[in-house]
Amino acid sequence: MNIKQFYDEGLAHASYAILSEGKVALVDPRRNPQQYYDFAEENDAQIVAVIETHPHADFVSSHLEFHKNEGATIYVSKMVGAEYPHTGFDEGDSFQMGKVIFHALHTPGHSPDSISILLKDENGKDHALFSGDTLFIGDVGRPDLREKAGNMTAQREELARMMYHTVQNKLKPLADDILVFPAHGAGSLCGKNLSDARQSTIGEQRATNWAFSDLDEKTFMDSLLQGQPYIPKYFGYDVDMNKKGAPAYQRSLSQISIWPEGSTLPEGALVIDARKNEQFVNGHIPGAINIMNGGKFETWLGSIVGPEEKFFLVADSAAELEILITKSAKIGYEQLIHGVVVNPAGMTEKGTSFDVEGFKANQDAFTIVDIRSRDEHANSPIFEGSLNIPLQELRERTAEIPTGKPVLIHCAGGYRSAAGSSIVAGQVESVEVFDFSEAIKDFQVPVAH
């Protein structure tokens, strides 16, 4: 057998292709199906099965496309209530492909309908666990994403309790030498303390993962529920899309409206300007939001823009727009794009330059807004008396910012503050809005190691 991992750095998402005897099974494939087709072609094999460990919240899967194009069977828990053709794959169910056997374990905790897949070799020996969002390297999946989304909803306390019993009854009994292949690594919002390692073993997790410690149920639940990251706006939208099955990737992209360079956009439209902050400051459409094209563009797009909104994408080249479209499609947001355009007309608004030395001489002359997370603000304070409004909440909470003094927006390194300052400047006209940008790094206390 051959196990191939595909890793998407932007969403810290891992998917897998398992090859045996000219047949391929996929586990939790990403939206763009091409690399899986390439893998099958390179190995003169056919994709015959797709296994979904649960309806994902943080990305859109291509499972339905493989069923329609290749006739691949989609295996998913009956509890998902999947609206696409599928075969139920639940506790105790198995199927054989070539010389390997796939065996389902019901492992609720991240979601009530989560399964993990035990891969058995030709001798029937447990070889690998594809653990989805149940078991990560160094952590387990967060239990707070299914209170309002999916076929089966569950309160976070209920799912945290389920996760405790999943670890005790399903994961701990597994043999130490079983390989662990999770669906996410460090940087994912599906957990809080994920390792940047790409694979592990049950033995290694038994020795190093806090969830395998000898904890009672309450202590485990309290630890799991504490300090989870925010929930982006797009997560429930993706759960529902994955439950229905996403439209075909290339066909969906081909329907995006490409406007001629220099076009005039409709007045009042929501504009996501992905150019570098220096370009944005030199001239942008009034009210545009500056989410720079970077490693986490898709996450911040889906955190700032809700799935009920339509938007325009702006970049400085056609090549850049193509990248932005593919990133948007990872979370199903290509369907929300009203149009894409290179350097549209009307980029008359300019940013204000920030005088760091002037700020140092009189910090009290500014209203300082910290748009980092609540945990960052509490655990690594920078300015006493600053107002903490996390970036993902800023559009809805700008009215809370006092406007008696100039407003200064900061994050930890400058990426988020570009977006944050553009949001506030677009909503507040009575006072100047400044972006601390990368200068904030000079004001942070180094962490002792």
Side-chain angles (χ1 to χ4, degrees):
M1 88 180 80
N2 177 10
I3 299 172
K4 166 82 170 175
Q5 182 185 71
F6 300 87
Y7 200 82
D8 178 340
E9 295 283 356
L11 292 173
H13 163 230
S15 55
Y16 302 90
I18 300 92
L19 170 69
S20 179
E21 304 279 284
K23 296 178 179 178
V24 173
L26 305 177
V27 178
D28 296 333
R30 67 175 83 166
R31 180 72 188 282
N32 184 347
Q34 191 55 50
Q35 61 198 329
Y36 309 107
Y37 286 132
D38 292 346
F39 175 80
E41 188 177 342
E42 287 162 12
N43 289 281
D44 195 21
Q46 183 184 0
I47 297 167
V48 299
V50 182
I51 310 172
E52 291 287 292
T53 56
H54 63 294
H56 303 279
D58 63 310
F59 73 96
V60 173
S61 171
S62 53
H63 51 267
L64 182 56
E65 191 160 349
F66 289 110
H67 171 74
K68 288 184 172 179
N69 292 349
E70 304 293 301
T73 302
I74 306 172
Y75 294 90
V76 65
S77 170
K78 292 189 182 85
M79 289 182 278
V80 168
E83 297 171 28
Y84 48 80
H86 63 280
T87 295
F89 199 50
D90 289 285
E91 180 73 28
D93 291 340
S94 296
F95 72 90
Q96 185 160 354
M97 183 196 76
K99 291 185 175 179
V100 296
I101 295 170
F102 296 87
H103 181 78
L105 299 175
H106 181 217
T107 51
H110 173 68
S111 67
D113 43 26
S114 286
I115 58 170
S116 298
I117 300 103
L118 260 180
L119 179 67
K120 298 171 181 281
D121 64 21
E122 56 188 303
N123 300 315
K125 184 180 185 301
D126 295 342
H127 177 73
L129 181 75
F130 298 94
S131 55
D133 287 11
T134 298
L135 175 62
F136 296 132
I137 299 173
D139 202 0
V140 288
R142 66 189 296 178
D144 57 345
L145 299 182
R146 289 292 292 275
E147 297 190 321
K148 296 175 183 173
N151 183 54
M152 293 178 70
T153 57
Q155 295 302 303
R156 60 190 67 193
E157 293 80 10
E158 182 185 355
L159 281 170
R161 183 174 290 108
M162 288 181 186
M163 184 65 84
Y164 174 77
H165 291 285
T166 285
V167 173
Q168 297 298 318
N169 303 324
K170 299 292 175 69
L171 302 181
K172 280 189 174 181
L174 296 174
D176 282 349
D177 62 348
I178 294 174
L179 298 171
V180 174
F181 292 111
H184 290 290
S188 168
L189 290 172
C190 290
K192 57 185 177 182
N193 292 311
L194 281 64
S195 166
D196 57 7
R198 301 287 168 83
Q199 69 179 72
S200 183
T201 63
I202 290 292
E204 187 176 42
Q205 291 310 292
R206 200 187 309 282
T208 60
N209 190 322
W210 73 270
F212 282 78
S213 305
D214 189 16
L215 302 173
D216 60 57
E217 185 180 273
K218 183 181 185 309
T219 305
F220 179 96
M221 289 174 61
D222 289 346
S223 298
L224 182 55
L225 290 166
Q226 187 178 6
Q228 290 290 354
Y230 75 96
I231 301 173
K233 292 182 172 77
Y234 78 91
F235 270 23
Y237 169 78
D238 278 15
V239 169
D240 291 340
M241 185 177 289
N242 283 320
K243 182 172 166 283
K244 292 171 186 165
Y249 179 72
Q250 289 295 348
R251 191 178 311 131
S252 192
L253 295 194
S254 70
Q255 292 170 0
I256 293 171
S257 178
I258 299 172
W259 291 39
E261 183 169 353
S263 292
T264 300
L265 302 185
E267 195 171 337
L270 175 58
V271 177
I272 302 302
D273 190 328
R275 295 174 302 150
K276 290 183 173 64
N277 185 237
E278 307 86 75
Q279 297 171 295
F280 182 85
V281 167
N282 286 333
H284 58 268
I285 289 173
I289 299 175
N290 185 206
I291 308 178
M292 290 186 283
N293 181 19
K296 293 292 178 187
F297 172 82
E298 51 270 52
T299 297
W300 284 115
L301 174 67
S303 300
I304 292 169
V305 176
E308 72 287 349
E309 299 182 279
K310 296 277 189 180
F311 61 91
F312 284 88
L313 269 180
V314 167
D316 64 357
S317 72
E320 194 86 352
L321 276 180
E322 192 172 331
I323 293 168
L324 295 167
I325 289 169
T326 60
K327 288 184 174 184
S328 302
K330 288 185 195 177
I331 63 170
Y333 266 38
E334 85 284 355
Q335 296 184 68
L336 309 183
I337 297 174
H338 199 112
V340 298
V341 60
V342 171
N343 298 328
M347 295 203 291
T348 57
E349 190 82 8
K350 293 189 182 299
T352 47
S353 59
F354 173 51
D355 177 8
V356 179
E357 294 307 316
F359 169 77
K360 286 178 180 176
N362 188 7
Q363 294 189 14
D364 292 338
F366 298 84
T367 295
I368 303 173
V369 182
D370 179 355
I371 62 168
R372 297 176 300 163
S373 71
R374 290 179 180 82
D375 282 350
E376 286 174 284
H377 177 75
N379 299 332
S380 306
I382 300 175
F383 300 113
E384 192 177 340
S386 62
L387 175 64
N388 179 220
I389 305 178
L391 174 55
Q392 68 275 7
E393 302 172 14
L394 198 53
R395 287 177 70 201
E396 294 76 27
R397 296 180 58 193
T398 300
E400 297 175 26
I401 300 173
T403 54
K405 296 185 282 189
V407 176
L408 179 56
I409 309 291
H410 82 82
C411 60
Y415 180 85
R416 284 174 286 178
S417 65
S421 58
S422 67
I423 289 170
V424 177
Q427 293 191 30
V428 175
E429 296 179 354
S430 58
V431 68
E432 281 190 305
V433 178
F434 296 98
D435 176 8
F436 219 122
S437 193
E438 294 182 7
I440 190 63
K441 295 173 184 176
D442 296 334
F443 291 81
Q444 299 179 66
V445 178
V447 178
H449 291 285

